[in-house]
Amino acid sequence: MNPYLYIPIALAGVLVIIVAVMIIRAIAAGKPDTESPSSADYGLDANQIADRLAQAVRIPTVSMVGNYKDNAEAFYDFRDFLEKTYPALNAAATRHIINGFSIVYEIKGSDPSLKPGAYLAHQDVVPAPAEGWEVPPFSGEIKDGFVYGRGSADMKGQLIALVEAVEELLKQGFVPKRDIFLCFGHDEEPMDSMEGAPKIAAWLKERGIELEFVVDEGGTILDGNLLGINNTVALIGTCEKGYCDYVLTCEKPGGHASNPARPSSLAILGKAIDKLERHPMKAKLTPVTKQTFKTLAPHMKFPLKFIFVNIDLLGWLIKPVMSLIPITNALIRTTFAPTMAKGSDTPNVIPPKSEANINCRILTGESVKEVADYIQKTVGPKIKVSYAESNEPTPVSSTDTDAYRNLISAISTSFPGLVTAPYMFIAADDAKYYAPVCKNIYRFTPFMMTLDDQKRIHAINERTGVQAMKDATVFFMNAIKKMC
């Protein structure tokens, strides 16, 4: 027999063994028990909570930058609203005003040997032109079971649910074991402002405070059917992608548009942008993303269960598929989003200088400089690549901590049957600034919103459900009791 025939036979045998092992692993994963005890609602009044959110929405705390740089009065009004609306909180806590507008409530615990915990939210909202809204954007109107208005979802809903929870617990006589900080920055929305959360974190560091945990917005609750799971899934952000706006510049003599010389600087720039979109950075299954899908895999149906239980072996098959879907593509690579471009200021002048902005969200394990080098190599020497404000990807917080386990317990108690998993947060929030004072930073938004509602954030007809506000308040009550 030809000895070379043994090679394909051997390869086939190895393949059979590998597939058998993968099937055994998938079967062994089983279907975990997702039953959780039903959550008590603590006798909360959903309509009262919704009304307080509506009042908060009516205070137009648009970030104080650009056209709204003189919007200070709204933040003073919001501060007064919190003081008048939540008397138990203001009686039990020491209120600190950081850098003029950010608010920190400090509640003392019974055991000074324990590190404090912190819950974050931001007061500011994005602007809201009135065109297209069903109701005025700062009316805080309640209709059809929803509170409408700018900031109702991002993120006054979460802020109000948090202070409602603290207020109710304090009225019930709850005394935390550890100190609690409620930290409300005032400039989370504009990416180039550093006057809120960074100043709060610096203030904590100056006082020598190291936090046991930080909980901020970020993780999402989504329909598990998107992942082949017959359940709702809660994703908890254990890290955050980096952020950088790269400016691509092309300079070439311009002139009158009646006598064009080809190619123009704008044409060269356009080709460079097209090349970036056609040649993205390499897809990578980071340890965090592998952990996400390994945690979710036991809950999935076949064949997804088979694939993701064996993600270490089948990464070559998974990455091309994930690359086709925007939301999963963002989990496996640094993304390039062309967002702004500028050429000439007049229609009949060929620009001597053309610029474009590429908004990048940088994958964990890569760096701002590494991405800049890749872009420069891809677009070529005719394009200059520069950048200014940026944030590197954050450290990854451990899931092997009491804080994380207690957070999971609070989620499971508040939303019975929910499947939970850690993941890499693909957007940005204030939590990253707390890394110098905390190792255990988690991002979770306790609202079950439809895809339609998610599309309303930063857009017209933003809203949050009346019942969802009550559920989120219950979550924060459970989280504080378990974590603090």
Side-chain angles (χ1 to χ4, degrees), residues 428-461:
D429 59 23
D430 278 340
K432 59 182 169 288
Y433 299 115
Y434 289 76
V437 293
C438 186
K439 295 179 180 179
N440 305 319
I441 298 176
Y442 307 111
R443 300 158 178 86
F444 179 65
T445 299
F447 291 92
M448 301 179 71
M449 293 187 292
T450 64
L451 289 175
D452 175 58
D453 285 325
Q454 292 176 17
K455 292 176 182 177
R456 295 168 184 256
I457 297 174
H458 285 201
I460 61 173
N461 298 319

PDB file of all heavy atoms in Angstrom, residues 428-461:
ATOM      1  N   ALA A 428     -18.810  53.993  25.434  1.00  0.00           N
ATOM      2  CA  ALA A 428     -17.974  54.685  26.417  1.00  0.00           C
ATOM      3  C   ALA A 428     -18.839  55.218  27.548  1.00  0.00           C
ATOM      4  O   ALA A 428     -20.010  55.563  27.343  1.00  0.00           O
ATOM      5  CB  ALA A 428     -17.213  55.839  25.763  1.00  0.00           C
ATOM      6  N   ASP A 429     -18.286  55.282  28.743  1.00  0.00           N
ATOM      7  CA  ASP A 429     -18.991  55.855  29.882  1.00  0.00           C
ATOM      8  C   ASP A 429     -17.985  56.444  30.862  1.00  0.00           C
ATOM      9  O   ASP A 429     -16.780  56.476  30.608  1.00  0.00           O
ATOM     10  CB  ASP A 429     -19.903  54.822  30.562  1.00  0.00           C
ATOM     11  CG  ASP A 429     -19.143  53.596  31.058  1.00  0.00           C
ATOM     12  OD1 ASP A 429     -17.918  53.697  31.292  1.00  0.00           O
ATOM     13  OD2 ASP A 429     -19.754  52.533  31.226  1.00  0.00           O
ATOM     14  N   ASP A 430     -18.474  56.917  32.002  1.00  0.00           N
ATOM     15  CA  ASP A 430     -17.608  57.556  32.996  1.00  0.00           C
ATOM     16  C   ASP A 430     -16.772  56.568  33.797  1.00  0.00           C
ATOM     17  O   ASP A 430     -15.796  56.955  34.447  1.00  0.00           O
ATOM     18  CB  ASP A 430     -18.458  58.374  33.983  1.00  0.00           C
ATOM     19  CG  ASP A 430     -18.822  59.755  33.442  1.00  0.00           C
ATOM     20  OD1 ASP A 430     -18.136  60.228  32.519  1.00  0.00           O
ATOM     21  OD2 ASP A 430     -19.776  60.358  33.960  1.00  0.00           O
ATOM     22  N   ALA A 431     -17.138  55.291  33.773  1.00  0.00           N
ATOM     23  CA  ALA A 431     -16.495  54.315  34.650  1.00  0.00           C
ATOM     24  C   ALA A 431     -14.986  54.233  34.441  1.00  0.00           C
ATOM     25  O   ALA A 431     -14.231  53.995  35.392  1.00  0.00           O
ATOM     26  CB  ALA A 431     -17.129  52.939  34.455  1.00  0.00           C
ATOM     27  N   LYS A 432     -14.537  54.440  33.215  1.00  0.00           N
ATOM     28  CA  LYS A 432     -13.109  54.270  32.916  1.00  0.00           C
ATOM     29  C   LYS A 432     -12.224  55.190  33.742  1.00  0.00           C
ATOM     30  O   LYS A 432     -11.064  54.876  34.016  1.00  0.00           O
ATOM     31  CB  LYS A 432     -12.853  54.508  31.433  1.00  0.00           C
ATOM     32  CG  LYS A 432     -13.253  55.872  30.925  1.00  0.00           C
ATOM     33  CD  LYS A 432     -13.001  55.988  29.437  1.00  0.00           C
ATOM     34  CE  LYS A 432     -13.640  57.225  28.843  1.00  0.00           C
ATOM     35  NZ  LYS A 432     -15.119  57.082  28.775  1.00  0.00           N
ATOM     36  N   TYR A 433     -12.756  56.346  34.140  1.00  0.00           N
ATOM     37  CA  TYR A 433     -11.948  57.313  34.880  1.00  0.00           C
ATOM     38  C   TYR A 433     -11.679  56.875  36.318  1.00  0.00           C
ATOM     39  O   TYR A 433     -10.842  57.471  36.998  1.00  0.00           O
ATOM     40  CB  TYR A 433     -12.629  58.682  34.876  1.00  0.00           C
ATOM     41  CG  TYR A 433     -12.800  59.249  33.495  1.00  0.00           C
ATOM     42  CD1 TYR A 433     -14.070  59.454  32.960  1.00  0.00           C
ATOM     43  CD2 TYR A 433     -11.703  59.558  32.691  1.00  0.00           C
ATOM     44  CE1 TYR A 433     -14.231  59.962  31.681  1.00  0.00           C
ATOM     45  CE2 TYR A 433     -11.858  60.059  31.406  1.00  0.00           C
ATOM     46  CZ  TYR A 433     -13.138  60.268  30.909  1.00  0.00           C
ATOM     47  OH  TYR A 433     -13.302  60.763  29.648  1.00  0.00           O
ATOM     48  N   TYR A 434     -12.384  55.833  36.768  1.00  0.00           N
ATOM     49  CA  TYR A 434     -12.236  55.382  38.147  1.00  0.00           C
ATOM     50  C   TYR A 434     -11.183  54.283  38.305  1.00  0.00           C
ATOM     51  O   TYR A 434     -10.961  53.787  39.411  1.00  0.00           O
ATOM     52  CB  TYR A 434     -13.587  54.892  38.694  1.00  0.00           C
ATOM     53  CG  TYR A 434     -14.559  56.030  38.941  1.00  0.00           C
ATOM     54  CD1 TYR A 434     -15.218  56.647  37.887  1.00  0.00           C
ATOM     55  CD2 TYR A 434     -14.800  56.506  40.224  1.00  0.00           C
ATOM     56  CE1 TYR A 434     -16.096  57.706  38.098  1.00  0.00           C
ATOM     57  CE2 TYR A 434     -15.676  57.557  40.457  1.00  0.00           C
ATOM     58  CZ  TYR A 434     -16.316  58.148  39.382  1.00  0.00           C
ATOM     59  OH  TYR A 434     -17.184  59.202  39.602  1.00  0.00           O
ATOM     60  N   ALA A 435     -10.532  53.910  37.214  1.00  0.00           N
ATOM     61  CA  ALA A 435      -9.508  52.860  37.280  1.00  0.00           C
ATOM     62  C   ALA A 435      -8.406  53.155  38.296  1.00  0.00           C
ATOM     63  O   ALA A 435      -7.912  52.229  38.955  1.00  0.00           O
ATOM     64  CB  ALA A 435      -8.912  52.616  35.895  1.00  0.00           C
ATOM     65  N   PRO A 436      -7.981  54.416  38.492  1.00  0.00           N
ATOM     66  CA  PRO A 436      -6.943  54.676  39.495  1.00  0.00           C
ATOM     67  C   PRO A 436      -7.367  54.400  40.938  1.00  0.00           C
ATOM     68  O   PRO A 436      -6.508  54.274  41.815  1.00  0.00           O
ATOM     69  CB  PRO A 436      -6.629  56.169  39.308  1.00  0.00           C
ATOM     70  CG  PRO A 436      -7.035  56.473  37.904  1.00  0.00           C
ATOM     71  CD  PRO A 436      -8.240  55.625  37.669  1.00  0.00           C
ATOM     72  N   VAL A 437      -8.690  54.297  41.182  1.00  0.00           N
ATOM     73  CA  VAL A 437      -9.149  54.082  42.565  1.00  0.00           C
ATOM     74  C   VAL A 437      -9.962  52.799  42.710  1.00  0.00           C
ATOM     75  O   VAL A 437     -10.504  52.522  43.781  1.00  0.00           O
ATOM     76  CB  VAL A 437      -9.987  55.280  43.073  1.00  0.00           C
ATOM     77  CG1 VAL A 437      -9.122  56.517  43.199  1.00  0.00           C
ATOM     78  CG2 VAL A 437     -11.197  55.541  42.178  1.00  0.00           C
ATOM     79  N   CYS A 438     -10.053  51.992  41.651  1.00  0.00           N
ATOM     80  CA  CYS A 438     -10.861  50.774  41.745  1.00  0.00           C
ATOM     81  C   CYS A 438     -10.440  49.763  40.681  1.00  0.00           C
ATOM     82  O   CYS A 438     -10.223  50.124  39.522  1.00  0.00           O
ATOM     83  CB  CYS A 438     -12.352  51.106  41.584  1.00  0.00           C
ATOM     84  SG  CYS A 438     -13.439  49.690  41.860  1.00  0.00           S
ATOM     85  N   LYS A 439     -10.353  48.487  41.083  1.00  0.00           N
ATOM     86  CA  LYS A 439     -10.029  47.413  40.152  1.00  0.00           C
ATOM     87  C   LYS A 439     -11.278  46.695  39.635  1.00  0.00           C
ATOM     88  O   LYS A 439     -11.249  46.101  38.556  1.00  0.00           O
ATOM     89  CB  LYS A 439      -9.101  46.389  40.816  1.00  0.00           C
ATOM     90  CG  LYS A 439      -7.726  46.937  41.175  1.00  0.00           C
ATOM     91  CD  LYS A 439      -6.879  45.862  41.842  1.00  0.00           C
ATOM     92  CE  LYS A 439      -5.504  46.397  42.204  1.00  0.00           C
ATOM     93  NZ  LYS A 439      -4.671  45.365  42.886  1.00  0.00           N
ATOM     94  N   ASN A 440     -12.349  46.736  40.417  1.00  0.00           N
ATOM     95  CA  ASN A 440     -13.562  45.983  40.085  1.00  0.00           C
ATOM     96  C   ASN A 440     -14.629  46.944  39.554  1.00  0.00           C
ATOM     97  O   ASN A 440     -15.471  47.439  40.296  1.00  0.00           O
ATOM     98  CB  ASN A 440     -14.083  45.232  41.315  1.00  0.00           C
ATOM     99  CG  ASN A 440     -13.029  44.334  41.931  1.00  0.00           C
ATOM    100  OD1 ASN A 440     -12.283  43.672  41.214  1.00  0.00           O
ATOM    101  ND2 ASN A 440     -12.956  44.320  43.251  1.00  0.00           N
ATOM    102  N   ILE A 441     -14.586  47.188  38.241  1.00  0.00           N
ATOM    103  CA  ILE A 441     -15.493  48.144  37.614  1.00  0.00           C
ATOM    104  C   ILE A 441     -16.438  47.382  36.694  1.00  0.00           C
ATOM    105  O   ILE A 441     -15.996  46.681  35.771  1.00  0.00           O
ATOM    106  CB  ILE A 441     -14.712  49.213  36.833  1.00  0.00           C
ATOM    107  CG1 ILE A 441     -13.819  50.010  37.789  1.00  0.00           C
ATOM    108  CG2 ILE A 441     -15.660  50.146  36.085  1.00  0.00           C
ATOM    109  CD1 ILE A 441     -12.923  51.031  37.098  1.00  0.00           C
ATOM    110  N   TYR A 442     -17.742  47.533  36.949  1.00  0.00           N
ATOM    111  CA  TYR A 442     -18.752  46.799  36.194  1.00  0.00           C
ATOM    112  C   TYR A 442     -19.783  47.761  35.615  1.00  0.00           C
ATOM    113  O   TYR A 442     -20.133  48.763  36.226  1.00  0.00           O
ATOM    114  CB  TYR A 442     -19.428  45.755  37.094  1.00  0.00           C
ATOM    115  CG  TYR A 442     -18.421  44.856  37.769  1.00  0.00           C
ATOM    116  CD1 TYR A 442     -18.212  44.919  39.145  1.00  0.00           C
ATOM    117  CD2 TYR A 442     -17.651  43.973  37.023  1.00  0.00           C
ATOM    118  CE1 TYR A 442     -17.265  44.113  39.765  1.00  0.00           C
ATOM    119  CE2 TYR A 442     -16.700  43.153  37.636  1.00  0.00           C
ATOM    120  CZ  TYR A 442     -16.513  43.230  39.012  1.00  0.00           C
ATOM    121  OH  TYR A 442     -15.574  42.444  39.614  1.00  0.00           O
ATOM    122  N   ARG A 443     -20.255  47.419  34.427  1.00  0.00           N
ATOM    123  CA  ARG A 443     -21.187  48.279  33.697  1.00  0.00           C
ATOM    124  C   ARG A 443     -22.466  47.514  33.417  1.00  0.00           C
ATOM    125  O   ARG A 443     -22.452  46.500  32.725  1.00  0.00           O
ATOM    126  CB  ARG A 443     -20.529  48.741  32.377  1.00  0.00           C
ATOM    127  CG  ARG A 443     -19.246  49.533  32.587  1.00  0.00           C
ATOM    128  CD  ARG A 443     -18.365  49.499  31.354  1.00  0.00           C
ATOM    129  NE  ARG A 443     -17.148  50.290  31.531  1.00  0.00           N
ATOM    130  CZ  ARG A 443     -16.022  49.844  32.091  1.00  0.00           C
ATOM    131  NH1 ARG A 443     -15.969  48.586  32.534  1.00  0.00           N
ATOM    132  NH2 ARG A 443     -14.970  50.624  32.213  1.00  0.00           N
ATOM    133  N   PHE A 444     -23.576  48.023  33.944  1.00  0.00           N
ATOM    134  CA  PHE A 444     -24.859  47.342  33.752  1.00  0.00           C
ATOM    135  C   PHE A 444     -25.992  48.354  33.786  1.00  0.00           C
ATOM    136  O   PHE A 444     -26.071  49.185  34.700  1.00  0.00           O
ATOM    137  CB  PHE A 444     -25.087  46.278  34.833  1.00  0.00           C
ATOM    138  CG  PHE A 444     -26.401  45.562  34.701  1.00  0.00           C
ATOM    139  CD1 PHE A 444     -26.655  44.767  33.599  1.00  0.00           C
ATOM    140  CD2 PHE A 444     -27.383  45.702  35.671  1.00  0.00           C
ATOM    141  CE1 PHE A 444     -27.874  44.113  33.459  1.00  0.00           C
ATOM    142  CE2 PHE A 444     -28.593  45.047  35.547  1.00  0.00           C
ATOM    143  CZ  PHE A 444     -28.846  44.246  34.447  1.00  0.00           C
ATOM    144  N   THR A 445     -26.857  48.294  32.790  1.00  0.00           N
ATOM    145  CA  THR A 445     -28.042  49.146  32.719  1.00  0.00           C
ATOM    146  C   THR A 445     -29.266  48.271  32.966  1.00  0.00           C
ATOM    147  O   THR A 445     -29.583  47.407  32.132  1.00  0.00           O
ATOM    148  CB  THR A 445     -28.136  49.811  31.327  1.00  0.00           C
ATOM    149  OG1 THR A 445     -26.976  50.628  31.132  1.00  0.00           O
ATOM    150  CG2 THR A 445     -29.379  50.674  31.230  1.00  0.00           C
ATOM    151  N   PRO A 446     -29.967  48.460  34.085  1.00  0.00           N
ATOM    152  CA  PRO A 446     -31.032  47.523  34.481  1.00  0.00           C
ATOM    153  C   PRO A 446     -32.382  47.815  33.841  1.00  0.00           C
ATOM    154  O   PRO A 446     -33.411  47.900  34.519  1.00  0.00           O
ATOM    155  CB  PRO A 446     -31.088  47.724  36.002  1.00  0.00           C
ATOM    156  CG  PRO A 446     -30.762  49.162  36.184  1.00  0.00           C
ATOM    157  CD  PRO A 446     -29.725  49.476  35.126  1.00  0.00           C
ATOM    158  N   PHE A 447     -32.392  47.976  32.520  1.00  0.00           N
ATOM    159  CA  PHE A 447     -33.634  48.245  31.804  1.00  0.00           C
ATOM    160  C   PHE A 447     -33.800  47.255  30.661  1.00  0.00           C
ATOM    161  O   PHE A 447     -32.875  47.070  29.860  1.00  0.00           O
ATOM    162  CB  PHE A 447     -33.647  49.668  31.241  1.00  0.00           C
ATOM    163  CG  PHE A 447     -33.746  50.732  32.303  1.00  0.00           C
ATOM    164  CD1 PHE A 447     -32.608  51.299  32.839  1.00  0.00           C
ATOM    165  CD2 PHE A 447     -34.981  51.148  32.769  1.00  0.00           C
ATOM    166  CE1 PHE A 447     -32.689  52.271  33.826  1.00  0.00           C
ATOM    167  CE2 PHE A 447     -35.083  52.117  33.751  1.00  0.00           C
ATOM    168  CZ  PHE A 447     -33.940  52.686  34.289  1.00  0.00           C
ATOM    169  N   MET A 448     -34.969  46.637  30.592  1.00  0.00           N
ATOM    170  CA  MET A 448     -35.281  45.724  29.500  1.00  0.00           C
ATOM    171  C   MET A 448     -35.969  46.544  28.413  1.00  0.00           C
ATOM    172  O   MET A 448     -37.159  46.834  28.495  1.00  0.00           O
ATOM    173  CB  MET A 448     -36.156  44.581  30.001  1.00  0.00           C
ATOM    174  CG  MET A 448     -35.506  43.782  31.119  1.00  0.00           C
ATOM    175  SD  MET A 448     -36.524  42.428  31.765  1.00  0.00           S
ATOM    176  CE  MET A 448     -36.456  41.289  30.401  1.00  0.00           C
ATOM    177  N   MET A 449     -35.196  46.939  27.412  1.00  0.00           N
ATOM    178  CA  MET A 449     -35.707  47.777  26.333  1.00  0.00           C
ATOM    179  C   MET A 449     -35.726  47.010  25.021  1.00  0.00           C
ATOM    180  O   MET A 449     -34.873  46.161  24.773  1.00  0.00           O
ATOM    181  CB  MET A 449     -34.836  49.033  26.170  1.00  0.00           C
ATOM    182  CG  MET A 449     -34.896  49.992  27.337  1.00  0.00           C
ATOM    183  SD  MET A 449     -34.018  51.545  26.988  1.00  0.00           S
ATOM    184  CE  MET A 449     -32.323  50.952  26.930  1.00  0.00           C
ATOM    185  N   THR A 450     -36.708  47.333  24.188  1.00  0.00           N
ATOM    186  CA  THR A 450     -36.774  46.731  22.864  1.00  0.00           C
ATOM    187  C   THR A 450     -35.725  47.385  21.964  1.00  0.00           C
ATOM    188  O   THR A 450     -35.153  48.429  22.302  1.00  0.00           O
ATOM    189  CB  THR A 450     -38.163  46.929  22.241  1.00  0.00           C
ATOM    190  OG1 THR A 450     -38.374  48.339  22.043  1.00  0.00           O
ATOM    191  CG2 THR A 450     -39.257  46.376  23.148  1.00  0.00           C
ATOM    192  N   LEU A 451     -35.486  46.782  20.804  1.00  0.00           N
ATOM    193  CA  LEU A 451     -34.572  47.382  19.838  1.00  0.00           C
ATOM    194  C   LEU A 451     -35.071  48.758  19.424  1.00  0.00           C
ATOM    195  O   LEU A 451     -34.286  49.677  19.177  1.00  0.00           O
ATOM    196  CB  LEU A 451     -34.426  46.476  18.616  1.00  0.00           C
ATOM    197  CG  LEU A 451     -33.641  45.178  18.829  1.00  0.00           C
ATOM    198  CD1 LEU A 451     -33.676  44.333  17.560  1.00  0.00           C
ATOM    199  CD2 LEU A 451     -32.196  45.470  19.226  1.00  0.00           C
ATOM    200  N   ASP A 452     -36.396  48.912  19.348  1.00  0.00           N
ATOM    201  CA  ASP A 452     -36.970  50.203  18.995  1.00  0.00           C
ATOM    202  C   ASP A 452     -36.608  51.261  20.032  1.00  0.00           C
ATOM    203  O   ASP A 452     -36.218  52.384  19.690  1.00  0.00           O
ATOM    204  CB  ASP A 452     -38.490  50.084  18.883  1.00  0.00           C
ATOM    205  CG  ASP A 452     -39.157  51.429  18.643  1.00  0.00           C
ATOM    206  OD1 ASP A 452     -38.829  52.090  17.639  1.00  0.00           O
ATOM    207  OD2 ASP A 452     -40.004  51.829  19.468  1.00  0.00           O
ATOM    208  N   ASP A 453     -36.719  50.901  21.313  1.00  0.00           N
ATOM    209  CA  ASP A 453     -36.380  51.866  22.358  1.00  0.00           C
ATOM    210  C   ASP A 453     -34.896  52.190  22.366  1.00  0.00           C
ATOM    211  O   ASP A 453     -34.492  53.326  22.623  1.00  0.00           O
ATOM    212  CB  ASP A 453     -36.810  51.327  23.731  1.00  0.00           C
ATOM    213  CG  ASP A 453     -38.315  51.424  23.933  1.00  0.00           C
ATOM    214  OD1 ASP A 453     -38.916  52.393  23.435  1.00  0.00           O
ATOM    215  OD2 ASP A 453     -38.885  50.534  24.573  1.00  0.00           O
ATOM    216  N   GLN A 454     -34.043  51.201  22.091  1.00  0.00           N
ATOM    217  CA  GLN A 454     -32.612  51.450  22.046  1.00  0.00           C
ATOM    218  C   GLN A 454     -32.259  52.439  20.932  1.00  0.00           C
ATOM    219  O   GLN A 454     -31.373  53.269  21.084  1.00  0.00           O
ATOM    220  CB  GLN A 454     -31.861  50.135  21.853  1.00  0.00           C
ATOM    221  CG  GLN A 454     -31.952  49.202  23.067  1.00  0.00           C
ATOM    222  CD  GLN A 454     -31.292  47.863  22.825  1.00  0.00           C
ATOM    223  OE1 GLN A 454     -30.503  47.713  21.903  1.00  0.00           O
ATOM    224  NE2 GLN A 454     -31.619  46.877  23.642  1.00  0.00           N
ATOM    225  N   LYS A 455     -32.987  52.373  19.823  1.00  0.00           N
ATOM    226  CA  LYS A 455     -32.734  53.290  18.705  1.00  0.00           C
ATOM    227  C   LYS A 455     -33.148  54.721  19.029  1.00  0.00           C
ATOM    228  O   LYS A 455     -32.732  55.663  18.355  1.00  0.00           O
ATOM    229  CB  LYS A 455     -33.473  52.811  17.460  1.00  0.00           C
ATOM    230  CG  LYS A 455     -32.930  51.513  16.876  1.00  0.00           C
ATOM    231  CD  LYS A 455     -33.777  51.050  15.695  1.00  0.00           C
ATOM    232  CE  LYS A 455     -33.264  49.733  15.146  1.00  0.00           C
ATOM    233  NZ  LYS A 455     -34.123  49.229  14.026  1.00  0.00           N
ATOM    234  N   ARG A 456     -33.972  54.920  20.052  1.00  0.00           N
ATOM    235  CA  ARG A 456     -34.444  56.252  20.421  1.00  0.00           C
ATOM    236  C   ARG A 456     -33.420  57.017  21.268  1.00  0.00           C
ATOM    237  O   ARG A 456     -33.547  58.221  21.438  1.00  0.00           O
ATOM    238  CB  ARG A 456     -35.754  56.141  21.204  1.00  0.00           C
ATOM    239  CG  ARG A 456     -36.920  55.571  20.407  1.00  0.00           C
ATOM    240  CD  ARG A 456     -38.088  55.231  21.331  1.00  0.00           C
ATOM    241  NE  ARG A 456     -39.183  54.597  20.628  1.00  0.00           N
ATOM    242  CZ  ARG A 456     -40.327  55.205  20.284  1.00  0.00           C
ATOM    243  NH1 ARG A 456     -40.509  56.474  20.602  1.00  0.00           N
ATOM    244  NH2 ARG A 456     -41.281  54.563  19.653  1.00  0.00           N
ATOM    245  N   ILE A 457     -32.446  56.325  21.839  1.00  0.00           N
ATOM    246  CA  ILE A 457     -31.453  56.987  22.682  1.00  0.00           C
ATOM    247  C   ILE A 457     -30.629  57.942  21.827  1.00  0.00           C
ATOM    248  O   ILE A 457     -30.129  57.583  20.765  1.00  0.00           O
ATOM    249  CB  ILE A 457     -30.553  55.952  23.377  1.00  0.00           C
ATOM    250  CG1 ILE A 457     -31.400  55.081  24.313  1.00  0.00           C
ATOM    251  CG2 ILE A 457     -29.442  56.636  24.160  1.00  0.00           C
ATOM    252  CD1 ILE A 457     -30.643  53.931  24.933  1.00  0.00           C
ATOM    253  N   HIS A 458     -30.499  59.178  22.284  1.00  0.00           N
ATOM    254  CA  HIS A 458     -29.839  60.263  21.545  1.00  0.00           C
ATOM    255  C   HIS A 458     -30.625  60.631  20.285  1.00  0.00           C
ATOM    256  O   HIS A 458     -30.103  61.377  19.439  1.00  0.00           O
ATOM    257  CB  HIS A 458     -28.397  59.908  21.164  1.00  0.00           C
ATOM    258  CG  HIS A 458     -27.450  59.960  22.310  1.00  0.00           C
ATOM    259  ND1 HIS A 458     -26.095  60.104  22.136  1.00  0.00           N
ATOM    260  CD2 HIS A 458     -27.637  59.904  23.648  1.00  0.00           C
ATOM    261  CE1 HIS A 458     -25.493  60.113  23.322  1.00  0.00           C
ATOM    262  NE2 HIS A 458     -26.407  59.988  24.258  1.00  0.00           N
ATOM    263  N   ALA A 459     -31.839  60.129  20.133  1.00  0.00           N
ATOM    264  CA  ALA A 459     -32.629  60.406  18.941  1.00  0.00           C
ATOM    265  C   ALA A 459     -33.988  60.963  19.366  1.00  0.00           C
ATOM    266  O   ALA A 459     -34.205  61.293  20.534  1.00  0.00           O
ATOM    267  CB  ALA A 459     -32.780  59.138  18.114  1.00  0.00           C
ATOM    268  N   ILE A 460     -34.898  61.055  18.404  1.00  0.00           N
ATOM    269  CA  ILE A 460     -36.208  61.603  18.738  1.00  0.00           C
ATOM    270  C   ILE A 460     -37.048  60.572  19.490  1.00  0.00           C
ATOM    271  O   ILE A 460     -36.853  59.368  19.368  1.00  0.00           O
ATOM    272  CB  ILE A 460     -36.956  62.079  17.478  1.00  0.00           C
ATOM    273  CG1 ILE A 460     -37.204  60.921  16.508  1.00  0.00           C
ATOM    274  CG2 ILE A 460     -36.185  63.204  16.789  1.00  0.00           C
ATOM    275  CD1 ILE A 460     -38.087  61.295  15.335  1.00  0.00           C
ATOM    276  N   ASN A 461     -37.985  61.085  20.293  1.00  0.00           N
ATOM    277  CA  ASN A 461     -38.937  60.267  21.052  1.00  0.00           C
ATOM    278  C   ASN A 461     -38.249  59.289  22.008  1.00  0.00           C
ATOM    279  O   ASN A 461     -38.697  58.154  22.193  1.00  0.00           O
ATOM    280  CB  ASN A 461     -39.882  59.517  20.100  1.00  0.00           C
ATOM    281  CG  ASN A 461     -40.719  60.466  19.267  1.00  0.00           C
ATOM    282  OD1 ASN A 461     -41.198  61.477  19.775  1.00  0.00           O
ATOM    283  ND2 ASN A 461     -40.879  60.174  17.996  1.00  0.00           N
TER     284      ASN A 461
END
